[in-house]
Amino acid sequence: MVAKGGIAGNWLCGARRQRHDDRLFYARCAAFRLMTDVEFAEIRYSGRPAAFLRGFRALYLGIPINCIILGWVIKPWSIS
């Protein structure tokens, strides 16, 4: 695959493998009736409190946590 498509061929092969693994994982989760934290919050809370909780978690996990992770990834690039 790499000989024909170059590095992009390797990425396509990896993407296919990841898609296959995801399908197996989701099938297992459905078979064992596993819930995500968002599904659990939907069952546990309802109405405005649930909407607030989802929004707060989205902002909390979306802004500071991702900034920390980006810092971990970008910092080694700046070290010479």
Side-chain angles (χ1 to χ4, degrees):
M1 208 164 205
V2 176
K4 278 181 141 180
I7 299 297
N10 194 26
W11 280 97
L12 290 173
C13 181
R16 271 192 218 117
R17 175 64 189 208
Q18 184 66 41
R19 189 171 53 231
H20 175 72
D21 290 346
D22 288 349
R23 286 182 185 154
L24 291 177
F25 177 74
Y26 295 136
R28 283 289 171 210
C29 286
F32 289 118
R33 295 186 183 134
L34 297 178
M35 275 193 296
T36 64
D37 54 344
V38 174
E39 291 171 333
F40 181 74
E42 281 290 326
I43 291 171
R44 177 69 176 91
Y45 306 105
S46 63
R48 291 182 60 100
F52 174 76
L53 181 63
R54 284 193 312 273
F56 177 77
R57 287 195 78 244
L59 290 175
Y60 172 72
L61 293 175
I63 296 171
I65 302 298
N66 283 324
C67 286
I68 290 169
I69 292 170
L70 281 171
W72 285 341
V73 171
I74 293 172
K75 182 163 171 82
W77 293 348
S78 64
I79 298 173
S80 22

